[in-house]
Every structure is written in C-alpha cells, then in structure tokens.
C-alpha cells in the first residue's frame, strides 16, 4: 500500500473547549464591518488550560489584526449540521472539520472557494482542487489504552473482543464525531469491506459501553481506568497525554497483520455567505502562515499542513517513534463522503444503535 511521508511533531496539553454562545449577526452590512470572526470547529485544537494551538493562533491573530475570534466547538458532523440549519441566516465565517465532513459540507453548498496564502505549500491530497477547503493541521487516526492497567497495548481488533474488555471499550459515534466515523473507515479497510467490518463491530458491541458524541471526552475515562481502550487521534491524544500519564496511543491490526492508520487532517473552509467573509479570509491566511504552522508542532501537537515546515524537538522524535511500523493508507474521501449516510445506517443496523 502507498505510504505517506510522516513529519515529526511536538505537543503540549490540549483537548476541549466550551462552545461560545453566539448572537445572530445574519450578514448585515453593519455586521461586515465588525472586528470579529466566527469559527465552527471540530474539537482537539483548543487546550483545556488555554495552551492549545487555537489558543495561541487566535490570541496572536487578534493582537495583529484587532479581530476577535468567536469559537464554537463540537463533533465534525455536529458542526456541519449546525451550519446547514443556519443556512438562511449564516453565523459561521470559517468551518474546520475532519474528513469526510469537510467534503460533506462542500456537497451541501456550505463553502465558497478561497485559497489562503501558503496553500501552495499544502499537498494536493490535503486540499480541494477547487479551493473550497485546505488542511491547516495534519493528523492521523489512532486508538488509546490505559498504560497502568495494560502493560502492553492491544495488538489487534480481535483482542478487543476478549472478556477483559467487557464494558471497558468505547468509541465515538460514527456520523457525529469525525474520529467515530474514522472507526468505520479503518474497520472497512482492515477487514476488507463493509460487511465484514459491520460483522466485527456487531461482535464488539458486547464489550462496548455505548455511543459518545465527543471523542475528546473518552481520554479522561481511559486515563482513570474507567475504560481500557477507546478511539482517538494522534494529535489530540498526544497532547492530552501530557496531563494524563496513563494514556497510551496504539493502532489496531487485523489478526497478525500490520497496524494501520490514515491521515485525518483538520481541514478549514470559508463559509458561503459568511457575515464576516473578509475577516474569515484573514484568519485562514494566518492559520497557514509560517509562524502558525511552526506552532502546530511546537504548541498544538499536530502535523504541519505545509510541506516546508519541519520539526526536530524531543516530542517530534517521540512521535516519529510512535508512528514507526504503522502502514498508512489513503481513503477515497470523495467516495466515502458520497456513501457516508449508507455506512452510518449499516453501522446502526449492525450494532442496534
């Protein structure tokens, strides 16, 4: 299988943030002059302690431009659904989600074309050919486990079916959370198709605690030992592990095969009919600026989206080691986006969710 070049990354603490309540601004002429920009985003880039990538980028952006960032956070699917509901009275200026939800947002007419400064340094697979979206932080899908209770991480999907994982496994909801949807994508890849993947997830249901709208909320449960294993992603979980000493990252294999993963970037797009479109463009430019992209590694615990940004610090070395031996595959996001509803329905049917 084709492998992607992995860049080293660094990290600090970062996980979730509370959503900001927004007042309707509706795109009036007076609103367009406001020194504000509203971001709807998947969770993972804002730090619990105010020390995440978003925290620094938003602070630096406001200092440079005088434009205040209003921030709303939730699952990728949740953010797209909210933007759809508000289509007649658009509130968001910038939308940031994991795939395939950024493609879904585009298919629903939520995005307008804009190529941020620096987008020429983003790889072709990490941006839309028509400039509707561009990755701002690269990332990889993974799982987490409790290092205190399990001396070594699970090796395979099949191991999670063992009795010791009874009510000790949880993964976020496909179709709602980006990482939850990623569980389906990886399972279908590893098991060789939709049917065998759903058959496995049906078996796993006997050990599964139940759905979770937020992937980020699973890490504290794993760290405390309430769960032994859960899904996540490298950027968010590596950042969380700085405050959660029992959190370990692993990548399931099928049987005795190689562990696999795939790129799961945070992709950003300018919202169509955004009330503060000019400010949204400025923020997208800033997110892809050289300094902000250096901060992806130094502050945010993610992979820089720009190919010309490198990282060589101690955390970068640790993460390079983490990804060694992991086979990286490339999902067909356009195809997955078109078939997503069907995959989620099949999962609901298989698991009784």
């Amino acid at each position: 299988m084709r492998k992607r070049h992995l860049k080293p990354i660094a990290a600090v603490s970062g996980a979730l943030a509370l959503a900001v309540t927004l007042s309707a601004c509706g795109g009036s002429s007076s609103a367009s002059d406001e020194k504000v920009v509203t971001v709807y985003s998947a969770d993972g880039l804002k730090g619990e302690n105010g020390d995440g990538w978003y925290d620094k980028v938003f602070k630096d952006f406001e200092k440079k431009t005088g434009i205040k960032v209003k921030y709303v956070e939730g699952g990728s699917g949740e953010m797209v659904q909210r933007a759809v509901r508000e289509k007649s009275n658009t509130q968001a200026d910038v939308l940031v989600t994991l795939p395939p939800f950024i493609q879904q947002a585009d298919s629903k007419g939520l995005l307008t074309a804009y190529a941020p400064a620096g987008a020429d340094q983003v790889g072709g697979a990490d941006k839309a050919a028509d400039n509707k979206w561009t990755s701002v932080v690269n990332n990889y899908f993974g799982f987490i486990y409790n290092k205190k209770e399990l001396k070594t991480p699970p090796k395979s999907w099949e191991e999670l079916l063992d009795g010791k994982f009874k009510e000790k496994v949880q993964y976020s909801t496909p179709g709602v959370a980006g990482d939850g949807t990623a569980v389906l994508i990886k399972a279908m890849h590893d098991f060789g198709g939709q049917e065998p993947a759903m058959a496995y997830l049906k078996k796993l249901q006997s050990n599964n605690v139940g759905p979770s709208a937020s992937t980020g909320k699973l890490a504290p449960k794993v760290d405390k030992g309430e769960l032994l294993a859960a899904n996540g992603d490298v950027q968010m979980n590596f950042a969380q592990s700085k405050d959660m000493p029992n959190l370990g990252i692993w990548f399931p294999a099928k049987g005795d095969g190689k562990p696999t993963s795939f790129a799961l970037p945070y992709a950003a797009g300018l919202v169509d009919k955004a009330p503060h479109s000019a400010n949204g463009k400025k923020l997208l430019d800033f997110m892809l600026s050289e300094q902000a992209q250096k901060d992806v590694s130094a502050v945010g615990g993610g992979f820089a989206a720009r190919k010309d940004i490198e990282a060589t610090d101690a955390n970068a070395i640790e993460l390079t080691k983490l990804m060694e031996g992991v086979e990286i595959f490339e999902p067909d996001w356009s195809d997955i986006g078109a078939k997503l509803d069907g995959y989620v329905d099949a999962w609901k049917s298989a698991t009784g969710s």
Side-chain angles (χ1 to χ4, degrees):
M1 290 182 190
R2 188 173 156 201
K3 296 190 177 184
R4 292 169 55 109
H5 172 65
L6 296 178
K7 291 182 184 175
I9 61 176
V12 297
S13 301
L16 305 176
L18 295 175
V20 176
T21 302
L22 300 178
S23 58
C25 36
S28 65
S29 58
S30 60
S32 65
D33 298 326
E34 285 184 290
K35 300 286 277 185
V36 67
V37 61
T38 299
V39 178
Y40 282 11
S41 178
D43 56 3
L45 293 176
K46 205 169 193 305
E48 286 181 337
N49 304 314
D51 53 5
W53 186 68
Y54 272 158
D55 298 288
K56 187 171 192 303
V57 167
F58 294 166
K59 182 179 179 181
D60 291 349
F61 178 71
E62 184 175 356
K63 184 177 180 181
K64 180 180 179 181
T65 65
I67 298 169
K68 182 176 177 58
V69 179
K70 289 186 178 180
Y71 179 70
V72 178
E73 180 181 277
S76 289
E78 181 186 356
M79 291 296 92
V80 172
Q81 290 161 14
R82 178 166 177 167
V84 168
R85 290 195 302 269
E86 296 171 350
K87 220 173 173 185
S88 62
N89 184 28
T90 308
Q91 303 294 305
D93 301 301
V94 172
L95 179 67
V96 185
T97 79
L98 304 180
F101 294 98
I102 198 70
Q103 289 87 351
Q104 187 183 70
D106 185 21
S107 71
K108 293 179 181 295
L110 296 176
L111 306 177
T112 189
Y114 179 67
D120 59 318
Q121 291 292 337
V122 176
D126 297 324
K127 62 186 177 184
D130 60 0
N131 297 320
K132 292 288 185 67
W133 57 267
T134 306
S135 296
V136 291
V137 172
N138 278 340
N139 192 15
Y140 290 88
F141 178 62
F143 275 63
I144 49 178
Y145 74 103
N146 182 291
K147 295 192 294 186
K148 184 178 180 182
E149 299 294 331
L150 302 175
K151 299 307 177 186
T152 58
K155 292 183 179 179
S156 68
W157 289 101
E158 290 84 355
E159 192 171 335
L160 294 179
L161 301 177
D162 190 273
K164 70 181 178 183
F165 289 101
K166 181 73 173 177
E167 296 185 350
K168 291 288 187 178
V169 175
Q170 191 172 18
Y171 59 91
S172 50
T173 310
V176 175
D179 287 325
T181 305
V183 172
L184 298 188
I185 295 168
K186 178 169 159 56
M188 287 189 292
H189 171 271
D190 290 0
F191 285 92
Q194 179 180 315
E195 275 192 43
M198 299 308 163
Y200 168 79
L201 292 172
K202 182 178 181 178
K203 291 179 184 176
L204 182 63
Q205 201 65 9
S206 62
N207 284 350
N208 186 22
V209 173
S212 172
S214 169
T215 312
K217 290 180 180 177
L218 300 179
K221 294 180 180 180
V222 173
D223 183 59
K224 293 172 185 173
E226 295 174 22
L227 298 172
L228 291 179
N231 69 315
D233 62 67
V234 173
Q235 176 274 325
M236 180 169 62
N237 296 144
F238 188 72
Q240 289 172 318
S241 70
K242 299 304 176 182
D243 285 334
M244 300 179 190
N246 298 321
L247 207 64
I249 299 172
W250 68 291
F251 305 91
K254 183 181 181 297
D256 296 327
K258 286 186 177 180
T260 67
S261 184
F262 58 95
L264 200 60
Y266 291 88
L270 185 68
V271 177
D272 188 43
K273 298 181 178 62
H276 313 103
S277 183
N279 295 346
K281 291 177 180 178
K282 289 177 182 177
L283 180 59
L284 288 169
D285 289 347
F286 195 82
M287 285 178 168
L288 277 182
S289 67
E290 188 173 335
Q291 184 58 54
Q293 285 293 297
K294 287 179 179 177
D295 288 338
V296 168
S297 114
V299 176
F303 298 76
R306 286 176 53 160
K307 296 180 292 183
D308 58 338
I309 303 297
E310 299 290 343
T312 57
D313 53 70
N315 284 331
I317 294 168
E318 186 180 342
L319 275 151
T320 298
K321 186 177 180 180
L322 176 69
M323 299 303 298
E324 283 177 1
V326 180
E327 190 172 84
I328 305 301
F329 65 92
E330 293 188 4
D332 183 340
W333 291 117
S334 296
D335 185 62
I336 291 168
K339 297 176 180 177
L340 180 59
D341 290 344
Y343 292 148
V344 173
D345 287 343
W347 170 80
K348 288 178 179 177
S349 178
T351 60
S353 299

